[in-house]
Amino acid sequence: MRDWLIKARTEKGLTMRQMGEALDISESYYSMIESGTRQKQMDLTLVSRLSAVLDIPITQIAALEAE
């Protein structure tokens, strides 16, 4: 479970559907990313998009993923 991702999304007041739309993926796929069943190791494109949507530096996302 990517608790940091859930927290960042909810702090921005975004739903999973809105995140999926912002990332150009389906809501269900985004849900799987949060739960860790998809994108166990996020690719650079996804990290870059998450950084832009959530206003979190890419380096911070990389550090959170490494934990």
Side-chain angles (χ1 to χ4, degrees):
M1 182 69 74
R2 290 185 167 114
D3 294 328
W4 68 268
L5 186 54
I6 296 166
K7 182 179 179 198
R9 174 180 58 78
T10 57
E11 285 178 355
K12 288 285 186 183
L14 299 170
T15 65
M16 284 193 215
R17 169 177 254 149
Q18 291 169 320
M19 283 298 293
E21 289 172 359
L23 298 172
D24 199 28
I25 58 176
S26 70
E27 178 183 357
S28 62
Y29 192 86
Y30 178 76
S31 175
M32 289 186 268
I33 292 170
E34 276 193 3
S35 70
T37 57
R38 288 290 185 153
Q39 293 280 336
K40 292 184 187 290
Q41 187 171 18
M42 287 193 230
D43 61 40
L44 187 55
T45 303
L46 179 61
V47 171
S48 177
R49 288 179 181 171
L50 283 170
S51 173
V53 171
L54 298 173
D55 196 29
I56 298 174
I58 290 174
T59 54
Q60 184 177 347
I61 293 173
L64 290 165
E65 279 294 291
E67 290 179 354

